Amino acid sequence: MGEVARGGGCCPPMDLFRSEPMQLVQLIIPIESAHRTVSYLGDLGLLQFKDLNSEKSPFQRTYAAQIKRCGEMARKLRFFKEQMLKAGVSPKLSTTQVDVNIDNLEVKLSEIESELTEMNANGEKLQRSYNELVEYKLVLQKAGEFFHSAQSGAIEQQREYESRLLSGESMETPLLQDQELSGDSSKQIKLGFLAGLVPREKSMTFERILFRATRGNVFLRQTAVEDPVTDPVSGEKTEKNVFVVFYAGEKVKAKILKICDAFSANRYPFAEELGKQAQMITEASGKISELKTTIDTGLQHRVNLLDTIGVQFEQWNLLVRKEKSIHHTLNMLSLDVTKKCLVAEGWSPVFATKQIQDALQRAAVDSNSQVSAIFQVLHTKEMPPTYFRTNKFTSSYQGIIDSYGVAKYQEANPTVYTVVTFPFLFAVMFGDWGHGICLLLAALYFIIRERKLSSQKLDDITEMTFGGRYVILLMSLFSIYTGLIYNEFFSVPFELFGPSAYECRDLACSEATTIGLIKARRTYPFGVDPVWHGTRSELPFLNSLKMKMSILLGVAQMNLGIIMSFFNAIFFRNSVNIWFQFIPQMIFLNSLFGYLSLLIIVKWCTGSQADLYHVMIYMFLSPTDDLGENELFAGQKNLQLVLLLLAVVAVPWMLLPKPFILKKQHEARHGAESYAPLPSTEESLQVESNHDSHGHEEFEFSEIFVHQLIHTIEFVLGAVSNTASYLRLWALSLAHSELSSVFYEKVLLLAWGYNNVIILIVGILVFIFATVGVLLVMETLSAFLHALRLHWVEFQNKFYEGDGYKFFPFSFSLLDEEDEVL
Amino acid sequence: MQERHDQIVSTPSPIHHLQLGIEIAGTLSLFSPIRIWHQSTDMGFPATTLIFAAIGIVASLCTVICFNRGSSSNLFHLTLVLTATICCWMMWAIVYLAQMKPLIVPILSEAE
């Protein structure tokens, strides 16, 4: 690329037509005011810093330690946010702007973090003890019931036995019974027991395994606990059973213990005596209520702490992110160790010079520095970034154009025309004023609730629709207009602008269905005559009309594109492009397709029956033949010969001269050079990328020639294919009107015909859903896409280069949009 | 004319009732003397073109007066208004010219 031609305009300047003029500036900032300077520049948001330390890794840079600190603080803030979410505390938007020092903030954050972690750990411990106690109490209660019932049963038996004994010694009493009774105490085997809780789903298996492991020599009793119990280990509520297992012997005890552990059954000590059980129950209850109050106060304390954090959270968050971005930016500046200052380089718009200088001044004053920063404009051959100053209306259109490619620095911006032509071409394909009104209502809804919706977090689809609300507004307004022209209101025509032009040939209207009506009155003044809808010849008429309309609109837009390339050539003072690109392109396109447009208009005005396909094709195949009945005006044959000749001449005119002229220009510029200019102090510090411009500039003639050949072939073939591409305007408009009329006739009218209220309601509902789903959503997207394609390809390939890069300044307001989570 | 009325009467849909009303109102205008003059010299095209031009000029003036924000901004707004006017006029003109001397006439479909 050659020099960046600082072009001049032929015409007065227009907003948004070309990107803002940019300049490369160099700032020399004393170290003590560096942080503040960068902070103020971030508030201003009009300077894009260049990375002067790009060859260094992130860890080698000057401010890596500070960034690590900021990262730590960010981690702590994330932790707080998590804790707040868990506790259900939401961070409030603080209205008071308390100035917080970043060092104090760091200390405060670490304090709060340690406090919070301690509280969490303590809370967990307490909760665990609480759960264990609750389980213990349950065991005491339930197991106590076992013993109580068993004891009472045993006492019953004993009493019965004793009563039998006391009732008298008789000869019937067996002798062995005495022995059994007396021998009881000496041969008593001590039974041990274990009590605890086991999860209910494992209880059957537990019982079975116990039985098998101990060969049936244990006695197990279980009861279910009604409510689910919080397990101390896992912290979840599970259904459990209380069990008591009686065993005899130490080995059996060991086995039972292992089985209990395997089943994660918690065991608790249990005393046999009734009195002691009661005492332990009261003790446990007391401890439980104590623990409960402790836990509650602990939770309250935690919630209070989180509340205080919540009040200041957003502010701290913003501060930490600002600090991080400031240090990232400071890392991009090169440290001039001898002069104790930092050197910054960046792109900024020319209009922002005063504002930047003001910010530097303020920063120097605020940081009590002796020296203020130095502001210097550098000269460079690099291509500057592209910056368009858009408002909320034009930004969505600029976004659409930027999606295809960001404009090269100061080339003509297609957005200026796209603002109108894009909704217009959409409307040509959408054309129904009923649907247009629905779209208008949707767009107005978004625009009226603009302020509220822009502060909310919307999901992807709604966000895209909201972002394009002004585009949709214009689309709907143009759709209403084209709907009135096509005369379609949900596919129904109206006679709004006067009487229809057609009437029957005779009073009996006998030939209306065979030969048709005749045009008796003046042409219907605005739009398509309402009589056409529903007739047999509607489609032939409308197809012919819409196809010719598409060609006319297409040729007009392509001519506009070529004229834009003319404006570019004038701006960049590239006369080669004017004489050897713009003029032959205009001649070629207009001698063929401009002539076709002319023929269409003449045919309409004269009502001739000439076949235009025939005319165009035979213009190429046999241009010298007599036209006969296809003659539309006198001298047509000669005109066609001239135009054909011009078109044929235009092709080598586009192809051949330009490469040779470029070669001559290059030789004139660099041929006589035997020295290279010395790099001056005003040059950028990053000289290595500019080496090529000093030395021998690469000029491959064959490359230029092939490039020009490709460009010419693209244009010549593209002239035909792009013109035909515009026929999609016809195709989609036909599809839309056919779908619309199908839904109206086959759903609504059919439902009306039955004279039944229920069928009518069902029919109306189906009609509404079909209209909204198919026509308002699918057709809108479809027409949007095709109109976009027409702009991106057919319009822009006539002039747009689109290989620039976007201006992305260091700005704190852009920071907010970057990442919501730190 | 008769048959069209029959058509309308046999399929009574609400929109057709509306159309009938508008048509009757339109028919009454047939008996104005201006119609005869209009029919002989089709003045519709130049007249309406002038109307579009007038609307365009009025809209441009309104934009410049109401949203006056510097000459470059004004030029941008004027470009938008001008482009919109030209697009709308082109569309109207194409549809109008196509219907001035038609080669195809409406052939009504059989009454259902």
Side-chain angles (χ1 to χ4, degrees):
Chain A
M1 247 209 68
E3 274 190 1
V4 172
R6 300 290 155 91
C10 57
C11 337
M14 183 158 70
D15 247 8
L16 212 65
F17 190 59
R18 295 190 191 277
S19 70
E20 299 290 325
M22 310 287 277
Q23 60 192 4
L24 185 65
V25 299
Q26 188 181 56
L27 306 173
I28 303 179
I29 312 169
I31 288 204
E32 58 267 18
S33 54
H35 187 278
R36 210 174 272 274
T37 311
V38 173
S39 174
Y40 287 173
L41 286 174
D43 284 327
L44 186 62
L46 283 173
L47 187 64
Q48 178 181 344
F49 285 97
K50 274 172 75 166
D51 193 353
L52 297 171
N53 297 328
S54 49
E55 63 277 356
K56 289 197 198 160
S57 80
F59 301 104
Q60 288 172 322
R61 299 197 189 206
T62 345
Y63 291 92
Q66 274 82 346
I67 292 188
K68 219 168 162 194
R69 272 173 58 195
C70 289
E72 261 300 299
M73 286 200 272
R75 183 196 60 78
K76 289 183 190 140
L77 283 172
R78 267 200 299 274
F79 172 64
F80 295 159
K81 185 153 191 168
E82 235 178 79
Q83 293 294 312
M84 282 199 285
L85 277 175
K86 258 201 244 172
V89 177
S90 58
K92 299 170 205 52
L93 293 162
S94 64
T95 46
T96 53
Q97 280 289 336
V98 181
D99 244 341
V100 184
N101 189 345
I102 197 77
D103 298 311
N104 295 348
L105 182 64
E106 202 180 355
V107 170
K108 196 165 182 178
L109 285 180
S110 40
E111 265 176 30
I112 297 180
E113 190 195 13
S114 53
E115 204 178 324
L116 203 57
T117 30
E118 207 185 306
M119 261 198 272
N120 281 349
N122 286 346
E124 260 172 61
K125 246 197 292 180
L126 286 173
Q127 193 68 32
R128 199 173 171 153
S129 329
Y130 177 75
N131 288 335
E132 276 179 12
L133 273 174
V134 167
E135 283 200 340
Y136 184 46
K137 187 175 168 183
L138 276 173
V139 167
L140 287 173
Q141 284 173 332
K142 298 282 177 187
E145 277 170 30
F146 288 164
F147 276 86
H148 184 73
S149 63
Q151 198 110 1
S152 58
I155 291 174
E156 273 289 318
Q157 268 194 341
Q158 185 89 338
R159 235 183 272 143
E160 215 184 273
Y161 190 70
E162 277 173 6
S163 68
R164 242 188 283 157
L165 267 180
L166 288 170
S167 63
E169 294 241 19
S170 64
M171 290 305 289
E172 286 88 30
T173 57
L175 289 163
L176 276 167
Q177 269 181 332
D178 288 335
Q179 279 199 330
E180 264 180 42
L181 197 61
S182 57
D184 247 4
S185 46
S186 58
K187 273 202 251 172
Q188 216 170 28
I189 300 166
K190 193 73 171 106
L191 280 179
F193 67 91
L194 288 171
L197 286 152
V198 67
R200 196 170 297 169
E201 61 252 9
K202 296 188 193 168
S203 60
M204 286 312 303
T205 355
F206 182 60
E207 199 174 325
R208 216 178 306 141
I209 291 200
L210 265 181
F211 189 80
R212 284 191 199 146
T214 56
R215 293 179 212 180
N217 284 334
V218 292
F219 176 63
L220 175 75
R221 269 209 71 178
Q222 291 189 48
T223 46
V225 178
E226 300 86 25
D227 307 310
V229 179
T230 319
D231 185 46
V233 175
S234 67
E236 293 162 6
K237 281 196 180 284
T238 37
E239 308 249 316
K240 293 209 178 181
N241 289 355
V242 175
F243 69 90
V244 181
V245 58
F246 294 90
Y247 59 87
E250 280 306 312
K251 282 195 215 156
V252 185
K253 181 180 182 182
K255 273 192 214 166
I256 297 176
L257 283 176
K258 276 202 204 134
I259 294 171
C260 283
D261 286 332
F263 277 83
S264 60
N266 303 323
R267 286 169 299 104
Y268 295 97
F270 190 79
E272 249 187 78
E273 301 85 37
L274 206 57
K276 208 163 174 207
Q277 282 172 25
Q279 184 199 4
M280 297 202 80
I281 287 182
T282 39
E283 242 182 70
S285 309
K287 272 203 217 153
I288 284 176
S289 49
E290 239 180 72
L291 266 179
K292 191 104 181 64
T293 40
T294 319
I295 290 175
D296 282 340
T297 34
L299 273 175
Q300 190 59 37
H301 188 56
R302 182 161 170 263
V303 168
N304 286 345
L305 181 65
L306 288 174
D307 265 334
T308 46
I309 297 177
V311 169
Q312 292 188 293
F313 181 76
E314 285 300 333
Q315 197 194 357
W316 288 346
N317 206 356
L318 193 63
L319 192 64
V320 170
R321 277 161 69 193
K322 267 194 195 177
E323 270 304 302
K324 201 164 179 189
S325 69
I326 291 178
H327 284 296
H328 271 305
T329 310
L330 283 173
N331 269 343
M332 289 201 267
L333 314 184
S334 82
L335 184 64
D336 202 324
V337 183
T338 54
K339 297 175 194 167
K340 294 212 191 257
C341 58
L342 287 167
V343 181
E345 267 184 31
W347 291 103
S348 82
V350 172
F351 70 79
T353 311
K354 188 84 180 36
Q355 290 170 301
I356 294 180
Q357 285 172 326
D358 278 344
L360 292 175
Q361 193 67 25
R362 265 190 306 129
V365 165
D366 284 346
S367 59
N368 300 321
S369 141
Q370 268 94 11
V371 193
S372 66
I374 301 174
F375 178 91
Q376 200 183 14
V377 176
L378 298 176
H379 294 297
T380 177
K381 295 203 164 121
E382 261 177 69
M383 192 171 78
T386 313
Y387 178 51
F388 286 112
R389 274 198 283 183
T390 54
N391 52 25
K392 65 184 176 187
F393 175 71
T394 50
S395 63
S396 38
Y397 288 101
Q398 191 62 47
I400 290 176
I401 301 289
D402 282 345
S403 308
Y404 184 72
V406 178
K408 200 177 76 170
Y409 178 63
Q410 292 217 306
E411 71 164 338
N413 185 15
T415 311
V416 167
Y417 294 100
T418 305
V419 171
V420 169
T421 56
F422 174 73
F424 176 68
L425 288 185
F426 170 87
V428 170
M429 292 190 267
F430 196 73
D432 186 314
W433 57 285
H435 300 148
I437 290 178
C438 297
L439 267 188
L440 179 66
L441 293 174
L444 284 178
Y445 168 77
F446 275 112
I447 292 178
I448 288 175
R449 295 193 67 205
E450 201 171 55
R451 195 156 295 179
K452 183 155 185 284
L453 286 171
S454 59
S455 56
Q456 276 177 356
K457 182 89 173 82
L458 305 162
D459 62 298
D460 282 328
I461 296 181
T462 321
E463 199 171 324
M464 272 201 287
T465 322
F466 178 70
R469 58 196 182 279
Y470 287 105
V471 182
I472 299 180
L473 176 72
L474 279 195
M475 274 157 48
S476 59
L477 290 174
F478 276 107
S479 299
I480 294 177
Y481 178 78
T482 54
L484 288 171
I485 294 225
Y486 288 154
N487 216 338
E488 284 191 14
F489 178 81
F490 292 100
S491 90
V492 177
F494 282 102
E495 230 174 69
L496 292 171
F497 297 100
S500 161
Y502 293 90
E503 60 180 26
C504 283
R505 286 164 201 268
D506 48 25
L507 281 171
C509 257
S510 52
E511 293 171 331
T513 49
T514 48
I515 305 179
L517 311 172
I518 58 164
K519 183 167 184 283
R521 293 181 280 277
R522 62 191 174 120
T523 320
Y524 189 72
F526 190 85
V528 172
D529 201 303
V531 76
W532 285 104
H533 184 81
T535 56
R536 290 218 304 252
S537 51
E538 177 188 10
L539 276 182
F541 171 70
L542 281 182
N543 283 349
S544 158
L545 164 69
K546 288 182 181 178
M547 284 168 97
K548 290 178 178 149
M549 176 176 72
S550 312
I551 301 285
L552 289 170
L553 291 177
V555 170
Q557 195 176 30
M558 287 196 286
N559 272 318
L560 178 65
I562 303 181
I563 293 176
M564 295 277 270
S565 84
F566 171 68
F567 284 133
N568 269 341
I570 293 225
F571 183 82
F572 290 113
R573 297 208 187 99
N574 195 341
S575 60
V576 176
N577 273 357
I578 297 179
W579 290 108
F580 299 102
Q581 201 158 297
F582 165 68
I583 292 187
Q585 280 182 348
M586 281 296 264
I587 291 178
F588 185 80
L589 187 69
N590 287 318
S591 64
L592 296 180
F593 296 100
Y595 176 61
L596 174 61
S597 314
L598 181 70
L599 286 181
I600 291 174
I601 296 176
V602 169
K603 180 174 174 183
W604 276 342
C605 288
T606 58
S608 144
Q609 300 224 351
D611 184 352
L612 292 182
Y613 288 119
H614 200 271
V615 170
M616 285 304 289
I617 294 173
Y618 282 92
M619 178 171 149
F620 285 92
L621 288 184
S622 39
T624 50
D625 268 6
D626 205 20
L627 287 164
E629 64 199 15
N630 286 333
E631 181 144 358
L632 282 161
F633 52 86
Q636 187 178 350
K637 187 170 88 166
N638 292 329
L639 178 66
Q640 279 181 199
L641 277 170
V642 169
L643 288 177
L644 190 62
L645 206 64
L646 280 175
V648 168
V649 163
V651 176
W653 187 353
M654 265 189 259
L655 172 63
L656 293 173
K658 188 170 167 187
F660 291 104
I661 293 183
L662 283 179
K663 182 173 179 195
K664 228 184 264 185
Q665 278 184 348
H666 177 255
E667 279 167 7
R669 226 185 306 139
H670 294 276
E673 248 179 29
S674 54
Y675 59 89
L678 291 168
S680 65
T681 48
E682 289 192 340
E683 296 276 341
S684 156
L685 283 180
Q686 288 188 316
V687 190
E688 66 274 15
S689 56
N690 298 331
H691 255 298
D692 290 349
S693 47
H694 292 299
H696 170 69
E697 193 174 275
E698 300 209 348
F699 185 86
E700 274 289 335
F701 180 73
S702 54
E703 209 178 285
I704 302 279
F705 190 80
V706 168
H707 180 87
Q708 193 61 26
L709 179 66
I710 293 176
H711 193 88
T712 305
I713 293 178
E714 198 185 320
F715 183 80
V716 168
L717 293 180
V720 180
S721 82
N722 290 351
T723 310
S725 184
Y726 276 95
L727 286 172
R728 69 186 71 223
L729 294 174
W730 156 63
L732 264 95
S733 133
L734 176 69
H736 188 97
S737 84
E738 286 299 308
L739 278 172
S740 175
S741 99
V742 158
F743 288 143
Y744 177 72
E745 278 161 26
K746 303 294 178 205
V747 175
L748 209 60
L749 285 188
L750 198 66
W752 179 271
Y754 278 98
N755 279 321
N756 183 344
V757 180
I758 298 177
I759 294 186
L760 183 64
I761 291 177
V762 169
I764 290 179
L765 280 176
V766 172
F767 176 72
I768 290 176
F769 275 109
T771 303
V772 170
V774 174
L775 290 171
L776 287 182
V777 174
M778 190 190 82
E779 274 290 312
T780 304
L781 285 174
S782 172
F784 185 98
L785 180 80
H786 284 284
L788 198 60
R789 177 253 154 71
L790 283 176
H791 278 81
W792 279 354
V793 179
E794 276 78 22
F795 177 53
Q796 289 182 301
N797 73 2
K798 304 285 181 289
F799 68 97
Y800 194 59
E801 289 189 43
D803 53 2
Y805 61 106
K806 210 164 168 191
F807 178 62
F808 198 70
F810 172 62
S811 163
F812 290 136
S813 49
L814 287 179
L815 205 68
D816 289 334
E817 295 159 12
E818 251 174 51
D819 36 14
E820 297 280 77
V821 189
L822 284 170
Chain B
M1 227 29 196
Q2 213 65 11
E3 186 148 320
R4 289 201 65 204
H5 279 283
D6 288 343
Q7 256 187 316
I8 291 161
V9 168
S10 60
T11 54
S13 107
I15 296 195
H16 279 157
H17 286 306
L18 188 60
Q19 271 189 331
L20 173 58
I22 293 177
E23 210 183 88
I24 291 177
T27 321
L28 292 175
S29 75
L30 276 177
F31 297 96
S32 116
I34 306 172
R35 166 190 75 89
I36 303 164
W37 180 71
H38 272 170
Q39 213 179 347
S40 55
T41 64
D42 200 349
M43 288 291 292
F45 190 78
T48 321
T49 305
L50 281 175
I51 295 177
F52 268 97
I55 294 177
I57 294 175
V58 166
S60 316
L61 287 173
C62 281
T63 321
V64 173
I65 293 173
C66 299
F67 295 100
N68 199 344
R69 248 168 250 167
S71 74
S72 66
S73 214
N74 281 345
L75 193 58
F76 175 60
H77 294 143
L78 276 180
T79 309
L80 292 184
V81 170
L82 203 66
T83 316
T85 312
I86 291 180
C87 284
C88 293
W89 172 79
M90 259 205 305
M91 181 132 190
W92 168 82
I94 289 171
V95 172
Y96 189 86
L97 285 177
Q99 295 184 100
M100 269 202 326
K101 299 196 173 159
L103 295 170
I104 311 176
V105 288
I107 301 174
L108 300 179
S109 52
E110 316 282 309
E112 280 161 4

